[in-house]
Amino acid sequence: MVKLTITPAARAAIHEYCTGQNVEEPVLDDDQEARLHRISKLEAGSPIEHHDLIEVSRFLTRQTKYHNDDAKTPSARQWRLDVLLKGALVYQPPPPPKPEPTPQYKALMQRLREQEEQRQYERMVNPASPAETFNQRFPNAGARTFNPAISHGQTGADEVDEVTYADVNRQMILIINILVSIITCSVFIWIAARRWSVPQRLGLSMSGSGLVAAAEVAIYFGYIKRLDDAKQKEVKAVERKEILETWVIDKAQASGTADNAARDAGQNFIDLRSPSFIGSIFPSVRSTCGVGSDWATGVRQSLHPQFTNMAPKDFHHPFQPYGIQQQFMEVMYDCIERGKVGIFESPTGTGKSLSLICSSLTWLREHRRKLFDEALAAVEFDDDDPAWMAEHAMDSKRREMRHMREDFEARLSAVREKERKLKERNDALGEPLRKKRKVAVDNETSEADEKQFLLDDYESDADKQLHSNGGPPEYSTETTKLMEKMGMIQPKKQDDSSLDLSNELKVFFCSRTHSQLSQFVGELQRVSLPPGMPPELATNDEEQSEPLKQLSLGSRKNLCINRSVSKLGSQTAINERCIELQQTSSAEHKCPYLPSKDHEELVLDFRDFAFAKVRDIEDLAEVGARLGICPYYASRTAIDAAEMVTLPYPLLLQKTAREALGISLRGHVVIIDEAHNLMNAIEGIYSTQISESQLKRARESLIVYLQKFRNRLKGSNRVYVTQVVRVIDSLLLFVTGLDGANGNGGSMEAERLLSGKGVDQINLAKLVRYISDSKLSRKVEGYVSHVTQQQKASTRNTRDDKSEADVPTLSHVQNFLMTLMNPSKEGRFFWSREGDTCIVRYMLLDPSEHFREIVHDAQAVILAGGTMSPMDDYRQQLFPYLPSLVTFSCGHLIPPSNLLVRTVAADQVGPLDFSFKSRNSTTIMRIGHALLGLAPLVQGGLVVFFPSYSSLEQVASCWRNESFIAKLERTKQVFWDSRTEPAEATFKAYSQAVATNSKGAILLSVIGGKLSEGINFSDDLGRCVVIVGLPFPNLETPEWKAKMQYLEAKALARGEPAGLASREHAENVCMRAVNQAVGRVIRHKDDWAGIVLMDSRYNQKRMRDMLPAWIGESFPADSPSHFFGVVDDAKCFFERKGRA
């Protein structure tokens, strides 16, 4: 805790404070009375804690404002915090007094004194013989041997000799060097002047050697003088910490006054704007950064109003940031600095993307500069070296560190200039940009040779190398530990190369879709940042900046430039065709854009073009097409040098994708945007399924393959292929045994899937490794396709099915076998009957283990979104192993008067309940009449969200039967969301109707549907949003039952009551979807809208508490919940906004 010295003004304020407290509150509790008694005893110069002065200033300022009509009352200005701190010093406590010696210590010292007196008495009684002198030992030595006048020896026998061995050695070497220089010079001149006479040669030699001797002596004395000057300059300055007199109150003066004054005075000053200083003064505020806390609110409550007017930290925001943006950036900066996991909620329209960019990249550049300074400070040199030698060493280190980066920046500058000239030429002449690499794309494939489908020899010794390159998906963290413990796999060694500082410190920004990443890249292009290293020639008048090195990563579908592959359309088809083109044995049929060793210079050119400016995924594909190189693979080489990498969910969350791209998260910052569905994304990535038809097709393909190549398979190949067939038979045995089962689905244990004959003797880890290493899936699929093509050719069927490529069936089997090796508590297996086929699913129940490695490796992990509330689920399900989280939730930019939030809990019939059990034609018609009464009041678009597509279809059927849709059409044109029709077409038609019709339009959609996320209902597109019912999931499905049982088991282990965890999770899932839907309507600071929650369950306190705080500000607890009261409030609201 920082303590300050009390100034006379502060002492007077403390006296007034104590007097005022006794008058205002005559009865105090024990803690307040003790605190008041403590500070009343303080005098000028005594230490006082900073928060005590804040409380004194706040109290006196408030009292002065209350009594401002009294002429005798002093002005509030003299009680301001800056006045009280004027002249205050940081209190330095006196050293603690020496402890009183113990009796044992006193006895020991007394005994030692007595012994010393005894020894002195003995020396006095029996004096020692005099020591032998030098003259006595060497009587023949001259008296002038150690004469102080002619030598550097000591002046007496008792004086200390200051001439060390090192000094004598240095002087002897100097003398020898001078003599060698003189002799060498004279010999060289003597030989060079051999044609001259002897006197002339002798004169030249003597003159030259004399000049050399004089130069050597002059250099020596110059060196001695430099040493003396350096020693005189090395005077240590006295450190003094003081709060400066010139406090910055006006933001316009933030950049110069206080800092320049402190530097001119040569003093060390405290930067009150830094988060570290705030954290040191306000540890209580910092400790509130736990789950569910608002750090910024705590700071505002703890700071004095005048203190908050000080200049905030500069995050290089392209605009003047709003207050909530500044708070967001400060908390996030501190979270990254402390290496924490943070959950940040910022409503749409509050500048969340720019806040994420500015705070993370400001930390990145400042951290790079900090590492630069630490590297310079680590330069080693001797303490007795002069200052100029130390400065030379640091300059050399500084130039060495700058050299590589300056070369890289020079390459990027050249690329930018080249792009500018090419663009000018293209604009002037209309000529296309020249390609660097010409490729001839020949997509016609010749008849495949059967030999290419034969499996390569597979050595059994390779089975032990379970972590070789190109392996199958890695197991989860818990599975890996278990298999290492059982000896099934070797422990993975730590890769020291990942700690190499040559990799650029970077920020990984992840979002759900490529369109969201493109919007984020557009915001990145606005930002200008200072360089990560101080410039060589820094000037105060010029603002230095360094372009950001950003890289966009994407899937093959977004980056493929081979038209024969990209036209396949399907993501899986493109992936499989790309891999096939890489593995073909014929060079003629390989992808012509694939990078190779012959194109290393072209890969570097691609990297330079990618970093020349901030580009989105489409721009990167254009660069690859222009250079004639695959951007999907060429972008991998640029990852290490990037400062920010943008990528979609699967490339970051899936471990195999990270390893394929060569991404290491160790020490880097990870930001996940739109993280409200992060847990669902992780569960979806690591869950899988396989159908009965896929199993049958895989078995048939293997049988066809074995019939052809059985006699040509050698060694382990035949054994492993037979084991694959046996495992598939076991799975089919379970599936066919479900024909007589009751019901359409259920759960089962993994052991039932592997109950076939001899399957328990198969090592699944080795088998999965074999399927991947041997490329069995593609070999078998390729041969089956080859046979099919031959059959079609023989029957003259020329139809080309190449575009119908799909994932090899054995790849589905391989992925499903991976789940069989996961611990049972991580997930569950389910079966369901859909039509004529049976499907077996694996559902991941615990996403925390798969996300834990990301948290462990990264410097900090930031989860951000517009609707992250409620946040308890993240702590319980995603971060149960973390002691605390940093959470931040800010309000909206709009004033509360721009938002109307009401609940329709009842109408003239009674309470309104749209739950699944109460969903009948009567309730549906009551909902319709409520909308019919509300729609004419809305000036613009009215968006209505229903819990599910089935409920929306039920409503549409009921309204059509009752001819109610025509009544709605007379008020506004009605548009319906559909499972089959594209959402873009529906939204486009709705937008045109709102823009052209003065009455507006009605859009009926679904919570969690295609129009509830990522759609901008700003301004007139969404003047009112109605939420009908609560979108609770179907808790009766086997999947949800298993999820609830899993959560209950973990909650009981934590000591929580039964039933609480499952209920809270279901409510959190429901309300998070509601919050996402209602967040569609307010998109900027000038927007306004109404929100109507149409269900009586929204009146429950726990449901209202799960709404975002910015919505709660416009949702009074005493607001009317009857339909007629809500209509009256809505009418007043829309009329008032219409007049404005």
Side-chain angles (χ1 to χ4, degrees):
M1 176 64 68
V2 176
K3 292 186 177 181
L4 309 173
T5 58
I6 298 178
T7 62
R11 179 68 190 92
I14 292 172
H15 177 72
E16 291 291 334
Y17 171 75
C18 296
T19 306
Q21 282 282 8
N22 292 327
V23 173
E24 184 175 344
E25 299 182 10
V27 179
L28 302 173
D29 57 22
D30 294 340
D31 294 338
Q32 293 177 338
E33 187 174 356
R35 177 177 172 276
L36 199 63
H37 178 73
R38 175 176 57 83
I39 65 175
S40 64
K41 299 295 185 181
L42 299 176
E43 299 295 336
S46 301
I48 187 173
E49 295 180 356
H50 192 271
H51 67 83
D52 287 337
L53 279 180
I54 293 176
E55 176 62 27
V56 169
S57 176
R58 182 186 292 114
F59 176 81
L60 294 179
T61 305
R62 185 174 63 250
Q63 289 295 105
T64 303
K65 292 180 179 178
Y66 288 161
H67 301 88
N68 57 4
D69 55 343
D70 189 355
K72 296 182 180 181
T73 302
S75 173
R77 180 177 179 81
Q78 69 173 355
W79 307 129
R80 281 173 34 178
L81 187 61
D82 57 336
V83 176
L84 300 185
L85 290 177
K86 185 177 181 180
L89 302 175
V90 177
Y91 176 70
Q92 301 288 345
K98 294 183 179 180
E100 182 69 18
T102 62
Q104 294 82 357
Y105 177 80
K106 292 180 179 179
L108 175 63
M109 297 307 296
Q110 179 64 25
R111 185 169 64 255
L112 293 177
R113 282 193 294 269
E114 292 176 355
Q115 293 176 357
E116 180 62 23
E117 291 175 355
Q118 182 66 25
R119 285 192 293 271
Q120 291 180 359
Y121 178 76
E122 292 291 338
R123 284 196 297 270
M124 182 181 64
V125 174
N126 302 313
S129 57
E132 186 179 16
T133 64
F134 181 84
N135 291 331
Q136 292 174 346
R137 173 66 63 89
F138 303 103
N140 296 328
R144 296 169 58 86
T145 303
F146 288 97
N147 190 341
I150 61 174
S151 70
H152 295 286
Q154 61 185 19
T155 58
D158 296 333
E159 296 184 9
V160 179
D161 186 2
E162 295 183 355
V163 180
T164 62
Y165 173 78
D167 294 331
V168 174
N169 186 43
R170 188 182 300 112
Q171 293 176 7
M172 291 299 298
I173 292 176
L174 178 65
I175 294 172
I176 293 173
N177 287 338
I178 294 175
L179 292 176
V180 170
S181 300
I182 294 173
I183 295 173
T184 302
C185 179
S186 59
V187 170
F188 176 78
I189 294 176
W190 180 269
I191 296 174
R194 59 184 178 273
R195 298 184 182 278
W196 293 18
S197 62
V198 173
Q200 291 176 336
R201 294 172 69 185
L202 185 62
L204 283 174
S205 298
M206 295 295 291
S207 301
S209 59
L211 290 175
V212 171
E216 293 279 358
V217 173
I219 292 173
Y220 173 73
F221 280 106
Y223 174 73
I224 296 298
K225 186 176 184 304
R226 291 290 298 272
L227 286 178
D228 294 338
D229 293 342
K231 290 181 180 179
Q232 293 177 2
K233 290 181 180 179
E234 292 177 356
V235 178
K236 187 176 182 181
V238 179
E239 181 180 3
R240 182 184 180 190
K241 296 181 179 179
E242 180 180 357
I243 294 181
L244 301 179
E245 180 178 350
T246 55
W247 279 54
V248 178
I249 303 300
D250 186 10
K251 289 185 178 180
Q253 302 174 358
S255 61
T257 306
D259 296 359
N260 293 335
R263 293 186 180 93
D264 294 342
Q267 299 168 342
N268 296 325
F269 68 100
I270 301 175
D271 186 3
L272 297 177
R273 296 166 290 179
S274 66
S276 59
F277 178 78
I278 295 176
S280 63
I281 295 182
F282 305 106
S284 60
V285 174
R286 184 71 65 176
S287 64
T288 63
C289 294
V291 176
S293 65
D294 186 348
W295 183 85
T297 302
V299 172
R300 289 198 302 270
Q301 293 175 352
S302 300
L303 290 176
H304 187 273
Q306 296 296 333
F307 188 84
T308 58
N309 287 336
M310 296 176 59
K313 180 176 178 61
D314 183 13
F315 289 98
H316 312 287
H317 199 282
F319 310 104
Q320 179 63 35
Y322 298 108
I324 58 176
Q325 289 178 316
Q326 185 69 28
Q327 297 161 14
F328 186 108
M329 293 186 290
E330 288 178 355
V331 179
M332 180 173 166
Y333 182 98
D334 180 74
C335 179
I336 298 175
E337 179 66 24
R338 294 191 294 150
K340 296 288 186 178
V341 175
I343 303 176
F344 290 76
E345 182 182 53
S346 181
T348 304
T350 55
K352 171 172 60 71
S353 296
L354 278 176
S355 299
L356 291 171
I357 292 170
C358 294
S359 54
S360 60
L361 293 183
T362 299
W363 178 87
L364 183 75
R365 291 289 173 88
E366 291 183 357
H367 190 73
R368 275 178 47 193
R369 183 166 293 203
K370 179 182 177 182
L371 294 178
F372 178 81
D373 295 338
E374 290 177 352
L376 292 182
V379 176
E380 297 182 357
F381 47 85
D382 296 335
D383 295 337
D384 56 350
D385 287 344
W388 64 270
M389 293 182 65
E391 184 64 26
H392 175 73
M394 295 185 68
D395 287 341
S396 300
K397 182 66 175 179
R398 190 180 293 111
R399 286 192 298 269
E400 178 184 352
M401 295 175 66
R402 282 200 180 106
H403 178 68
M404 184 176 298
R405 183 168 298 276
E406 288 176 350
D407 289 348
F408 188 28
E409 293 295 337
R411 286 179 59 117
L412 297 184
S413 298
V415 169
R416 295 187 192 104
E417 182 65 20
K418 183 177 181 180
E419 277 198 330
R420 185 186 64 80
K421 293 180 178 180
L422 288 174
K423 187 176 184 303
E424 291 178 354
R425 188 191 68 178
N426 186 42
D427 293 341
L429 303 177
E431 296 180 358
L433 297 179
R434 179 179 59 86
K435 288 186 178 181
K436 277 193 172 183
R437 176 183 173 191
K438 295 182 179 180
V439 294
V441 182
D442 184 10
N443 300 312
E444 298 296 330
T445 58
S446 60
E447 183 177 353
D449 188 2
E450 290 183 355
K451 291 184 179 180
Q452 65 178 320
F453 304 118
L454 182 63
L455 292 171
D456 298 330
D457 292 341
Y458 190 80
E459 298 295 335
S460 58
D461 293 339
D463 298 342
K464 301 178 182 179
Q465 301 176 357
L466 293 180
H467 286 284
S468 61
N469 294 332
E474 290 288 346
Y475 315 114
S476 67
T477 305
E478 188 169 348
T479 304
T480 304
K481 292 180 181 178
L482 179 62
M483 296 180 71
E484 289 177 357
K485 185 177 180 180
M486 297 175 62
M488 299 175 65
I489 61 176
Q490 296 297 324
K492 190 172 182 179
K493 296 182 179 180
Q494 184 71 26
D495 186 9
D496 296 335
S497 63
S498 60
L499 302 176
D500 190 2
L501 294 180
S502 61
N503 290 342
E504 186 77 35
L505 183 67
K506 58 180 64 64
V507 176
F508 288 95
F509 182 88
C510 174
S511 193
R512 193 166 55 91
T513 63
H514 284 290
S515 60
Q516 293 170 343
L517 290 174
S518 297
Q519 295 174 5
F520 179 80
V521 170
E523 298 295 331
L524 267 179
Q525 296 170 349
R526 301 172 180 263
V527 180
S528 177
L529 296 164
M533 292 185 182
E536 190 78 32
L537 298 175
T539 60
N540 295 330
D541 299 334
E542 183 181 358
E543 182 69 20
Q544 299 286 338
S545 65
E546 177 184 335
L548 178 67
K549 289 176 281 297
Q550 176 266 345
L551 181 67
S552 296
L553 297 180
S555 61
R556 290 183 176 92
K557 185 176 181 180
N558 297 98
L559 291 174
C560 181
I561 59 176
N562 191 332
R563 293 183 179 179
S564 65
V565 179
S566 60
K567 71 179 183 181
L568 297 177
S570 169
Q571 176 75 56
T572 55
I574 292 175
N575 290 342
E576 292 303 318
R577 182 58 180 160
C578 177
I579 296 175
E580 288 177 8
L581 292 179
Q582 296 176 50
Q583 296 176 349
T584 179
S585 58
S586 174
E588 299 177 357
H589 301 133
K590 283 192 174 182
C591 179
Y593 303 101
L594 188 67
S596 62
K597 292 183 179 180
D598 299 333
H599 308 123
E600 292 182 357
E601 187 65 27
L602 195 57
V603 172
L604 290 178
D605 290 342
F606 177 87
R607 183 200 65 179
D608 296 343
F609 273 92
F611 289 155
K613 66 178 183 180
V614 177
R615 304 178 189 271
D616 61 11
I617 199 72
E618 289 80 9
D619 296 335
L620 210 62
E622 291 179 2
V623 170
R626 184 194 315 167
L627 298 178
I629 192 169
C630 176
Y632 177 77
Y633 286 102
S635 59
R636 300 184 182 188
T637 61
I639 294 176
D640 287 344
E643 290 180 295
M644 172 165 280
V645 179
T646 59
L647 66 171
Y649 271 8
L651 298 186
L652 178 73
L653 300 180
Q654 196 166 9
K655 185 176 181 181
T656 53
R658 297 198 304 270
E659 292 178 345
L661 293 172
I663 293 177
S664 172
L665 302 179
R666 185 166 301 163
H668 304 305
V669 179
V670 175
I671 301 175
I672 302 178
D673 196 14
E674 301 297 330
H676 59 275
N677 55 6
L678 175 62
M679 290 181 290
N680 294 336
I682 298 175
E683 292 173 357
I685 288 174
Y686 289 97
S687 299
T688 185
Q689 68 178 30
I690 193 167
S691 65
E692 182 180 3
S693 59
Q694 289 175 329
L695 289 172
K696 290 180 178 179
R697 181 182 174 186
R699 189 182 188 281
E700 293 172 357
S701 300
L702 279 173
I703 295 301
V704 172
Y705 185 83
L706 282 175
Q707 290 175 351
K708 178 65 178 179
F709 297 103
R710 180 186 299 273
N711 297 329
R712 300 166 67 178
L713 294 178
K714 300 179 182 179
S716 301
N717 282 324
R718 184 180 303 175
V719 176
Y720 280 117
V721 173
T722 305
Q723 289 181 357
V724 174
V725 175
R726 192 178 299 171
V727 171
I728 295 176
D729 287 340
S730 178
L731 295 175
L732 283 172
L733 178 65
F734 169 80
V735 171
T736 54
L738 296 174
D739 293 339
N742 298 326
N744 294 323
S747 61
M748 71 283 189
E749 299 297 330
E751 290 78 8
R752 294 183 59 187
L753 297 171
L754 300 176
S755 59
K757 182 179 179 181
V759 178
D760 57 341
Q761 304 296 324
I762 297 176
N763 189 327
L764 289 181
K766 290 185 176 182
L767 184 60
V768 172
R769 172 62 57 180
Y770 169 78
I771 296 174
S772 176
D773 289 349
S774 64
K775 303 178 179 61
L776 177 65
S777 304
R778 296 186 179 90
K779 297 272 189 182
V780 172
E781 193 77 15
Y783 176 72
V784 172
S785 299
H786 171 65
V787 173
T788 305
Q789 292 288 335
Q790 285 185 335
Q791 293 175 353
K792 290 179 180 180
S794 63
T795 58
R796 298 182 180 180
N797 187 349
T798 58
R799 188 181 62 178
D800 187 10
D801 292 340
K802 276 291 200 180
S803 61
E804 301 297 329
D806 195 4
V807 178
T809 312
L810 280 177
S811 295
H812 292 290
V813 177
Q814 175 185 347
N815 295 334
F816 191 80
L817 292 181
M818 287 294 303
T819 63
L820 292 172
M821 294 182 291
N822 286 339
S824 58
K825 70 177 183 178
E826 286 188 8
R828 293 287 188 275
F829 287 93
F830 305 93
W831 66 271
S832 62
R833 188 176 287 109
E834 298 180 4
D836 297 334
T837 185
C838 184
I839 297 178
V840 182
R841 292 185 176 89
Y842 172 79
M843 177 181 173
L844 181 69
L845 299 178
D846 187 3
S848 63
E849 289 299 325
H850 290 278
F851 196 67
R852 187 168 189 166
E853 184 176 354
I854 296 177
V855 176
H856 179 268
D857 288 347
Q859 160 71 19
V861 177
I862 305 297
L863 308 186
T867 53
M868 300 297 291
S869 298
M871 299 182 182
D872 290 339
D873 269 4
Y874 299 98
R875 179 174 60 87
Q876 298 291 348
Q877 298 188 46
L878 206 54
F879 308 107
Y881 45 85
L882 294 181
S884 64
L885 300 175
V886 176
T887 62
F888 178 88
S889 179
C890 67
H892 214 292
L893 296 175
I894 63 170
S897 59
N898 279 18
L899 184 65
L900 175 74
V901 185
R902 293 293 184 268
T903 295
V904 177
D907 57 6
Q908 64 272 20
V909 179
L912 190 60
D913 185 1
F914 200 68
S915 61
F916 181 78
K917 296 180 180 179
S918 304
R919 197 176 302 165
N920 50 43
S921 58
T922 302
T923 306
I924 292 174
M925 292 307 300
R926 291 169 63 189
I927 296 292
H929 287 296
L931 293 176
L932 189 62
L934 186 64
L937 305 177
V938 179
Q939 305 166 7
L942 172 62
V943 185
V944 184
F945 288 107
F946 289 87
S948 63
Y949 279 106
S950 61
S951 63
L952 180 61
E953 293 168 355
Q954 185 179 356
V955 167
S957 176
C958 180
W959 285 356
R960 288 191 183 97
N961 295 335
E962 299 293 335
S963 301
F964 185 77
I965 297 179
K967 297 180 181 180
L968 278 179
E969 290 281 359
R970 284 194 290 269
T971 60
K972 295 177 185 291
Q973 188 177 356
V974 180
F975 296 87
W976 299 79
D977 191 4
S978 174
R979 301 187 190 188
T980 57
E981 296 181 5
E984 293 79 7
T986 304
F987 182 71
K988 183 179 180 181
Y990 167 75
S991 303
Q992 291 177 350
V994 172
T996 57
N997 194 336
S998 59
K999 292 182 179 181
I1002 300 177
L1003 176 61
L1004 304 177
S1005 185
V1006 173
I1007 298 176
K1010 294 176 288 186
L1011 292 173
S1012 66
E1013 294 189 23
I1015 301 297
N1016 185 358
F1017 290 103
S1018 63
D1019 299 328
D1020 286 343
L1021 290 178
R1023 287 306 182 193
C1024 183
V1025 59
V1026 178
I1027 307 295
V1028 179
L1030 285 93
F1032 278 103
N1034 185 4
L1035 303 180
E1036 297 302 322
T1037 61
E1039 291 83 1
W1040 268 101
K1041 286 182 179 179
K1043 183 73 173 179
M1044 296 295 102
Q1045 293 172 0
Y1046 176 75
L1047 294 178
E1048 283 298 317
K1050 293 187 69 174
L1052 291 175
R1054 296 193 300 265
E1056 297 180 2
L1060 179 62
S1062 57
R1063 188 196 70 186
E1064 288 183 347
H1065 176 67
E1067 292 176 350
N1068 289 341
V1069 171
C1070 169
M1071 291 305 297
R1072 191 175 294 115
V1074 171
N1075 295 338
Q1076 185 69 17
V1078 298
R1080 301 297 94 202
V1081 292
I1082 302 296
R1083 312 299 291 182
H1084 54 84
K1085 66 181 181 65
D1086 297 322
D1087 206 352
W1088 56 271
I1091 299 175
V1092 179
L1093 308 174
M1094 201 169 289
D1095 198 298
S1096 59
R1097 291 172 290 176
Y1098 284 111
N1099 264 351
Q1100 300 175 9
K1101 185 178 183 301
R1102 67 174 186 271
M1103 293 298 180
R1104 294 168 66 115
D1105 291 342
M1106 292 182 186
L1107 293 170
W1110 64 275
I1111 292 180
E1113 295 175 0
S1114 303
F1115 194 6
D1118 57 349
S1119 59
S1121 59
H1122 194 277
F1123 172 69
F1124 295 117
V1126 173
V1127 169
D1128 292 339
D1129 286 356
K1131 182 178 181 181
C1132 296
F1133 175 78
F1134 287 111
E1135 287 180 352
R1136 175 168 52 85
K1137 288 301 177 183
R1139 290 192 301 269

